[in-house]
Amino acid sequence: MKYCSVCATPVEHSVPAGDNLPRYHCPACGTIHYQNPRVITGTLPVLDGRILLCKRNIEPRWGYWTLPGGFMENGETVAEGAARETWEEARNAPELRQMLSVISLPQFDQVHIFYLADMVSPDFSTTEESSEVALFEPDAIPWDDIAFRTVLATLRHYVDHLGPDGRAPARLPLLDTTIIPRLRD
Amino acid sequence: MKYCSVCATPVEHSVPAGDNLPRYHCPACGTIHYQNPRVITGTLPVLDGRILLCKRNIEPRWGYWTLPGGFMENGETVAEGAARETWEEARNAPELRQMLSVISLPQFDQVHIFYLADMVSPDFSTTEESSEVALFEPDAIPWDDIAFRTVLATLRHYVDHLGPDGRAPARLPLLDTTIIPRLRD
Ligand SMILES: [Zn+2]
Ligand SMILES: [Zn+2]
């Protein structure tokens, strides 16, 4: 941020009076330009025990598998965003069963939230964002080719809670955790 | 938003190529200025079955009671933000026990997240933001003077799950819901 979005004056970056963190703020009109974490919202869609994954047709992590998800938009709920992203990336409109994970990524200023979702229709398809969309048995998840660590953690949490019959319990505990990048990231 | 924060050119507001929602974007440098919901994070602190509430010394809702909470900041986790706000508003550093509520407010472009928290110290005090800080037995909560509907819903969810002995179970279900303003709001 270089210029005030209200009046085009060059902004300053310092701790405003009465605050305790540095902010971009405008010396002309006084606007403080707060910057806050963004929410990524998505689903883990399940059909007859199989999990829907999308092969990314976009960067970052092109060619890796992911759960459908993306940035939450103004004017929608977390659940609406998760359903919208599932439609945009996989052309499926699942029923959201429960919130499954809330994962903070403080070094990326993001919070990732995933819902466990029941695929009420078996239909899905590739999209501009997904070069392949496919159902995977839990023991066939491509663990080495998952795009993001939040997706990996959410899938692992789900699979770890499956019963001996391979089915999920009526209600899974919420995975509430933090992911810090490894040094090599 | 009137001007590009990167190059100070007046922004346009329309659907960018390849997008499906109107955005502020810059005709000169091409930057798309996404605007996304913000996360409010806070706690429901408990000491010996009593709940810590803060009387707001700031607008909006000056003079009404609230749970400690505020905007999540870049570089922190949801939990860290909740703990920080509790310190800033009530000078108590509780131990977070579990995520208790995730409430979307689509008409305010916000998501409110509250943690159930154990007060490991009985110390607390007023602050610039709180003219009074006090512990309330569940049957003495000032229900008619609660500042925000997300706080009301979170308190109600907690109290509804107390056992006959007035104590919370080891783990409460997550309240995952949406609040739409009433017409009179
Ligand atoms: Zn300005
Ligand atoms: Zn520009």
Side-chain angles (χ1 to χ4, degrees):
Chain A
M1 170 167 287
K2 286 186 178 173
Y3 300 96
C4 176
S5 57
V6 176
C7 77
T9 300
V11 291
E12 296 176 359
H13 192 253
S14 59
V15 180
D19 205 337
N20 48 20
L21 285 175
R23 314 278 182 190
Y24 290 102
H25 57 95
C26 177
C29 74
T31 302
I32 300 174
H33 298 281
Y34 294 99
Q35 296 186 307
N36 299 88
R38 294 201 288 175
V39 175
I40 277 77
T41 177
T43 62
L44 190 162
V46 176
L47 179 70
D48 294 332
R50 292 179 299 164
I51 299 161
L52 192 74
L53 294 176
C54 304
K55 193 179 233 181
R56 285 177 65 81
N57 195 33
I58 48 176
E59 294 291 353
R61 305 296 278 161
W62 182 91
Y64 285 80
W65 291 93
T66 191
L67 293 168
F71 286 106
M72 183 181 173
E73 300 278 7
N74 279 354
E76 70 184 4
T77 67
V78 180
E80 287 168 348
R84 175 183 53 71
E85 290 287 348
T86 308
W87 180 259
E88 288 178 7
E89 299 191 356
R91 291 289 181 273
N92 185 271
E95 199 167 275
L96 305 199
R97 196 194 309 178
Q98 66 159 94
M99 196 174 281
L100 185 61
S101 62
V102 178
I103 308 176
S104 292
L105 292 98
Q107 279 151 306
F108 293 104
D109 305 324
Q110 292 181 356
V111 180
H112 291 211
I113 301 179
F114 286 95
Y115 278 87
L116 181 56
D118 296 309
M119 292 173 65
V120 288
S121 156
D123 300 330
F124 55 83
S125 78
T126 60
T127 64
E128 279 192 21
E129 299 178 49
S130 308
S131 61
E132 275 185 66
V133 180
L135 290 164
F136 291 86
E137 295 289 347
D139 62 5
I141 292 171
W143 293 108
D144 293 338
D145 297 314
I146 299 297
F148 304 109
R149 291 178 69 202
T150 55
V151 171
L152 194 64
T154 301
L155 285 168
R156 175 53 63 198
H157 180 71
Y158 175 74
V159 170
D160 282 351
H161 284 86
L162 295 177
D165 59 354
R167 294 294 155 139
R171 187 151 193 101
L172 277 79
L174 178 74
L175 172 66
D176 167 23
T177 192
T178 297
I179 290 181
I180 307 288
R182 292 165 292 206
L183 283 179
R184 70 170 179 80
D185 283 354
Chain B
M1 169 167 289
K2 286 184 178 174
Y3 300 97
C4 176
S5 57
V6 175
C7 77
T9 300
V11 290
E12 296 176 359
H13 193 253
S14 59
V15 180
D19 205 337
N20 48 21
L21 285 174
R23 314 278 183 190
Y24 290 102
H25 57 95
C26 177
C29 75
T31 302
I32 300 175
H33 298 281
Y34 294 99
Q35 296 186 308
N36 299 89
R38 293 202 289 175
V39 176
I40 277 77
T41 177
T43 62
L44 191 162
V46 176
L47 179 69
D48 294 334
R50 293 178 298 165
I51 298 162
L52 191 76
L53 294 176
C54 305
K55 193 179 233 182
R56 286 177 65 82
N57 196 33
I58 48 176
E59 294 291 352
R61 304 296 278 162
W62 181 92
Y64 285 79
W65 291 92
T66 191
L67 293 169
F71 287 106
M72 183 182 174
E73 300 277 8
N74 279 354
E76 70 184 3
T77 68
V78 180
E80 286 168 348
R84 175 183 53 71
E85 290 286 346
T86 308
W87 180 259
E88 288 178 6
E89 299 192 357
R91 290 290 180 272
N92 184 272
E95 199 167 275
L96 305 199
R97 196 195 308 179
Q98 66 159 93
M99 194 173 283
L100 186 59
S101 62
V102 179
I103 309 175
S104 291
L105 291 99
Q107 279 151 307
F108 293 104
D109 305 324
Q110 292 180 356
V111 181
H112 291 211
I113 301 179
F114 286 96
Y115 278 87
L116 181 57
D118 296 309
M119 293 173 65
V120 288
S121 157
D123 300 331
F124 55 84
S125 80
T126 60
T127 63
E128 281 192 19
E129 299 177 50
S130 308
S131 61
E132 274 185 66
V133 180
L135 289 165
F136 292 85
E137 295 288 348
D139 62 6
I141 292 171
W143 293 109
D144 293 337
D145 297 315
I146 300 297
F148 304 109
R149 292 179 69 203
T150 55
V151 171
L152 194 64
T154 300
L155 285 168
R156 174 54 62 198
H157 180 71
Y158 175 74
V159 171
D160 283 351
H161 284 86
L162 296 177
D165 59 353
R167 294 294 155 139
R171 186 152 193 100
L172 277 79
L174 178 75
L175 173 64
D176 167 22
T177 190
T178 297
I179 290 182
I180 306 289
R182 291 165 294 207
L183 283 178
R184 71 172 180 79
D185 282 354

